Amino acid sequence: MKRLLLSLTLAAATLTAPQATTAAAAATTACSLAPTGGTVTRSFFPASTRSYNLRVPAGLTGNAPLLLSLHGLGSVPFFQEQATGWSQTADAEKFIVAYPAGDPNWNLAVGSPDVRFLRDVVDRIAAESCVDRSRVYVEGGSLGSWMSQRAACDAAGTFAAAAGFMGGSPNTFGGCRPTRPIAVALFHGESDPLIPVAEGRRTRDEWVARNKCSPTPVIEPVTDGAAQTYRGCAAGVTVNWRSYQGLGHAYPTGTAGADFRERAWRFLSAHRLP
């Protein structure tokens, strides 16, 4: 991709103004809106054994938002797709969704090579599909939630916002120093036996402090847990919290699953890179 951009830059320098305009227009229309016809696997082979599953829905227009959804410990992209239901939401809401594969799990440390991998996934998708680079988001469950937050901490110039389900604090793995305030939504089961909801609340409070939000949330009445929005944050971002009563260490299904996807996508898609 870098070589292509360099070649275009050098070529444009030798063209007359009308020719340069034509070349620039051709470069911006080089991406595709062609659907993948379902979810397909893309590999970085032979440069790497890493891969990701990709779904480009039919009916996209213009440059589309992109969501990366990250699996948990011991899982794989196929199961992340099934557990989250993001592919059906992508079809309905018209955004591209990808499910990157860990190696086999995620490196959560500051400076993690997996952050570079996620950036590479974004670059690869944007090289072949029309992606709005100001609307690239990351979400994950369990270990994937930690990784989505690591991406928010270390790649705030790539991801406009992040969401995490049933995860804990990035401070556990070396801290978090994003280059800008970044919007984060956290979700948690109140009966989670592996990562207690108290850990989720502590992680939420860290993001509220990190983004310099008002510590007093706007509370939305719900019948099965809690829903809170923290506003007054730096740079106009927000921090959201949603817990589900009776839910353990799993993505919700049924009505609660639809609630999660609707809330998460509404939150993510409301934010753009500054």
Side-chain angles (χ1 to χ4, degrees):
M1 185 65 179
K2 291 182 179 178
R3 291 181 178 176
L4 173 60
L5 291 174
L6 178 60
S7 298
L8 288 174
T9 301
L10 293 175
T14 64
L15 298 175
T16 63
Q19 289 174 318
T21 301
T22 301
T28 58
T29 58
C31 64
S32 170
L33 293 173
T36 51
T39 304
V40 298
T41 299
R42 295 281 193 261
S43 174
F44 284 89
F45 182 82
S48 167
T49 59
R50 304 297 293 267
S51 66
Y52 58 94
N53 288 359
L54 174 68
R55 189 180 188 95
V56 180
L60 295 181
T61 57
N63 292 333
L66 168 63
L67 172 66
L68 304 191
S69 183
L70 312 182
H71 65 76
L73 178 69
S75 189
V76 294
F78 172 81
F79 291 120
Q80 180 69 4
E81 179 181 21
Q82 300 305 305
T84 60
W86 275 125
S87 288
Q88 289 69 40
T89 301
D91 291 349
E93 298 293 336
K94 303 306 178 189
F95 62 89
I96 300 169
V97 60
Y99 306 92
D103 191 25
N105 294 305
W106 302 110
N107 181 329
L108 305 175
V110 174
S112 166
D114 282 339
V115 173
R116 176 69 266 173
F117 168 63
L118 296 180
R119 285 190 179 123
D120 289 344
V121 170
V122 172
D123 290 345
R124 177 70 67 89
I125 295 170
E128 62 180 62
S129 297
C130 297
V131 171
D132 185 342
R133 295 300 291 258
S134 73
R135 294 189 293 166
V136 177
Y137 311 106
V138 60
E139 177 273 342
S142 192
L143 198 72
S145 174
W146 262 292
M147 191 63 220
S148 69
Q149 292 179 76
R150 175 54 59 205
C153 296
D154 293 4
T158 296
F159 298 101
F165 210 117
M166 55 191 166
S169 169
N171 285 345
T172 307
F173 298 93
C176 178
R177 293 170 289 277
T179 56
R180 65 174 181 87
I182 181 169
V184 173
L186 297 176
F187 301 80
H188 219 104
E190 293 187 355
S191 298
D192 191 330
L194 297 181
I195 304 172
V197 68
E199 171 68 10
R201 294 191 188 104
R202 182 170 71 86
T203 304
R204 172 202 66 194
D205 293 345
E206 289 173 0
W207 280 107
V208 168
R210 193 175 287 123
N211 283 327
K212 298 179 171 59
C213 308
S214 167
T216 303
V218 176
I219 298 175
E220 176 188 345
V222 291
T223 60
D224 61 339
Q228 301 169 347
T229 300
Y230 293 82
R231 296 175 177 160
C233 312
V237 305
T238 56
V239 173
N240 276 24
W241 169 258
R242 176 71 164 104
S243 62
Y244 294 90
Q245 187 176 28
L247 181 67
H249 193 75
Y251 279 101
T253 59
T255 302
D259 178 82
F260 156 65
R261 289 186 297 276
E262 190 277 330
R263 287 176 183 275
W265 182 245
R266 173 158 40 96
F267 174 87
L268 293 169
S269 61
H271 294 88
R272 291 174 178 260
L273 282 179

